[in-house]
Amino acid sequence: MKKGYMKAAVFKDIEHIVIEERPIPECPSEGVLVKVNACGICGGDIRNYYNGLKDGIKDQIMGHEIAGEVVEVDPGVRRFKAGDRVALAPDVSCGECYYCKRGQVNLCENHRMLGTHFPGGFAGYIAVPKIVMERGFIEHIPEGMSYDHAAFGEPSSGVLACQEYNQVSYGDTVIVIGDGPVGCLHMEVAKARGARKVIMLARGRMKQAQKFGFEYIFSNKDPKEATNKVKELVGPGADIVICAVPNTAAQQQALELVRKRGRIIIYGGVPKSNPMTTLDSNKIHYDEIMILGAFSYPCTGLYHALQAIHNKDIHAEMYVNGKVSLDNIVNGMEMVTSGQAIKVVVDPWM
Ligand SMILES: [Zn+2]
Ligand SMILES: [Zn+2]
C-alpha cells in the first residue's frame, strides 16, 4: 500500500464490488477521522449488493455497522479525542423536517445513510463529517468491549427500539417468526424485557438459533404444522407476534397466532418487487388485532444497544462468528446467506 492510501471495498454496480486503493480521507472540519477496526456485514448490505444502493448511488464504499479508533480530531470537536474507541450507526437525519422537529429522527423525510450517501466502513478509515457528528450516531465503546462486538451495536439498536416502541412487557407471550440474527435478537430482547414465554419459528438457520438455548424453537418448514403446534402452547394466542423474515407469508401466519387485541409487528422489509400482502381483515376487525411497523431507532438507539451488549442482555459473542478481510467481502456475504455464520465482521486490516 502506498503511504497515505487505504484499502476500500467499493460498490461499483449490482453484484460488482471492487477492492481499491483510495487516499485516506482528511479529517473533516468539525468532524473526526476513524480507523475502522470492524465493520459488520448487514442483511441490508447483501440486499444492496444484489439490488443496488438507494437512490441509484454507485461508486460508493459500503458498510454501516462500524467500530474503530478515532485517529484525528478537528479542533472544533469536544466530545472525542484521538485514541477514543467509537461505534457508529448509519442513519443521518436532517433536523428540519416534520418528523425531525418531533424527535422522530428515524422517520426523517431526508434520511441519509453511511455506506450509501456517505462513504461507509468497508475501508481502512472513515471520515465522519460535521452533519454525522450532529445528526448521526457516534458513541464511545464501553470499557472492555471488543470492536467486533461494538459493531454489533447497530443491528441491536433497531430491535431494542422496536420492542420499546411497541412495549413488549413483563409476562407477555411473544412469538418471533425468523431465525436470522434479527430473529435471535428479538428473542433475547423480549426475554430481557420480561416476556414470560418467547417462541421462535425457525427455518434454515435453526441449528444456529438453538445454540442460544432458547426454550421454544419450532421448525417452520411446514408452516401449517408449526402453527398448530405453537397454538397448543400459547392458548388464546400470543400477545405479540414479530415478523422478522423478508416474506409476506409470515404476516399471514402471524395473524393466525396472535390473540384477540394482540399485536403483530412487521420488522424488516420484503422484496421491493412485491411488497403487497393479503390478510384476513375480518379477523383483524372482530379480534381487534393491531398491525404495526417498526424501523430503525431514536437518537438514543446506539447508546442503549452498546449498554445492552455490555450488560449481556444481548450476547454479541453468540452472533459474531465469522471474520473476513476486505478482499473476501463477497465470501463473507455468502457465509451469511448460506447460514454458515450468523454475523460476519470485516476486518479491513486483515
Ligand atoms: Zn445493519
Ligand atoms: Zn428530517
Side-chain angles (χ1 to χ4, degrees):
M1 191 84 51
K2 279 181 286 178
K3 200 170 181 287
Y5 280 73
M6 65 175 187
K7 243 188 200 183
V10 182
F11 174 87
K12 292 289 180 183
D13 209 333
I14 289 173
E15 290 185 52
H16 189 44
I17 287 179
V18 176
I19 309 303
E20 289 184 351
E21 281 187 20
R22 290 202 162 183
I24 295 171
E26 282 183 22
C27 181
S29 160
E30 293 186 55
V32 298
L33 182 67
V34 173
K35 179 180 179 227
V36 180
N37 286 315
C39 186
I41 297 179
C42 178
D45 293 323
I46 299 173
R47 245 193 332 272
N48 291 340
Y49 175 65
Y50 289 108
N51 299 303
L53 289 172
K54 207 178 156 197
D55 302 336
I57 290 167
K58 285 174 188 166
D59 201 33
Q60 182 62 287
I61 301 170
M62 286 168 59
H64 64 248
E65 302 176 355
I66 305 160
E69 185 192 336
V70 174
V71 289
E72 224 182 303
V73 182
D74 184 79
V77 173
R78 299 187 171 272
R79 258 177 84 206
F80 299 96
K81 57 182 191 312
D84 281 358
R85 300 177 342 118
V86 291
L88 290 113
D91 304 70
V92 183
S93 57
C94 74
E96 301 290 337
C97 73
Y98 178 91
Y99 298 100
C100 283
K101 289 294 182 209
R102 282 155 185 79
Q104 298 161 359
V105 294
N106 61 319
L107 303 176
C108 173
E109 300 268 24
N110 310 302
H111 169 256
R112 290 182 292 172
M113 287 181 81
L114 304 185
T116 303
H117 306 90
F118 302 90
F122 291 148
Y125 294 85
I126 180 171
V128 187
K130 180 173 183 246
I131 178 84
V132 178
M133 303 295 292
E134 287 172 353
R135 305 290 319 171
F137 293 87
I138 177 165
E139 296 288 347
H140 286 103
I141 297 173
E143 185 93 32
M145 187 184 293
S146 72
Y147 288 113
D148 289 1
H149 294 173
F152 197 61
E154 197 279 322
S156 306
S157 306
V159 170
L160 282 161
C162 166
Q163 294 202 17
E164 172 65 22
Y165 172 58
N166 290 298
Q167 285 298 299
V168 174
S169 304
Y170 179 80
D172 278 348
T173 293
V174 179
I175 297 174
V176 178
I177 306 178
D179 55 9
V182 169
C184 294
L185 274 169
H186 273 296
M187 294 285 284
E188 285 210 285
V189 171
K191 284 211 294 197
R193 294 181 62 89
R196 184 170 52 86
K197 214 177 252 174
V198 182
I199 301 159
M200 175 183 271
L201 285 171
R203 229 158 173 174
R205 290 173 286 189
M206 189 156 164
K207 281 222 168 71
Q208 295 269 18
Q210 275 165 338
K211 289 185 189 149
F212 284 81
F214 300 132
E215 206 178 344
Y216 303 105
I217 306 181
F218 292 90
S219 165
N220 205 20
K221 263 219 169 81
D222 180 343
K224 246 202 177 109
E225 196 188 302
T227 300
N228 289 335
K229 269 193 200 158
V230 173
K231 267 182 172 169
E232 273 172 41
L233 193 65
V234 296
D239 298 294
I240 293 158
V241 184
I242 300 169
C243 300
V245 282
N247 66 63
T248 54
Q251 298 160 9
Q252 289 152 7
Q253 188 177 20
L255 198 53
E256 289 184 50
L257 291 167
V258 74
R259 69 161 167 82
K260 291 183 183 180
R261 204 174 280 185
R263 284 163 282 163
I264 294 172
I265 303 170
I266 297 176
Y267 191 90
V270 302
K272 282 190 198 109
S273 52
N274 188 16
M276 303 310 262
T277 190
T278 309
L279 297 173
D280 179 348
S281 63
N282 269 339
K283 185 161 162 67
I284 297 170
H285 164 58
Y286 290 114
D287 289 357
E288 300 190 345
I289 309 294
M290 288 166 267
I291 298 177
L292 306 151
F295 166 71
S296 195
Y297 32 86
C299 59
T300 50
L302 182 61
Y303 175 78
H304 283 154
L306 292 168
Q307 292 303 312
I309 292 169
H310 187 61
N311 295 335
K312 297 270 178 206
D313 287 330
I314 292 170
H315 294 87
E317 73 279 8
M318 296 284 300
Y319 298 83
V320 182
N321 57 357
K323 194 175 241 187
V324 294
S325 63
L326 277 172
D327 297 295
N328 287 322
I329 193 164
V330 175
N331 276 347
M333 292 187 188
E334 281 157 10
M335 282 162 72
V336 177
T337 321
S338 68
Q340 196 187 327
I342 304 183
K343 175 57 82 179
V344 174
V345 163
V346 175
D347 177 353
W349 301 97
M350 213 162 104

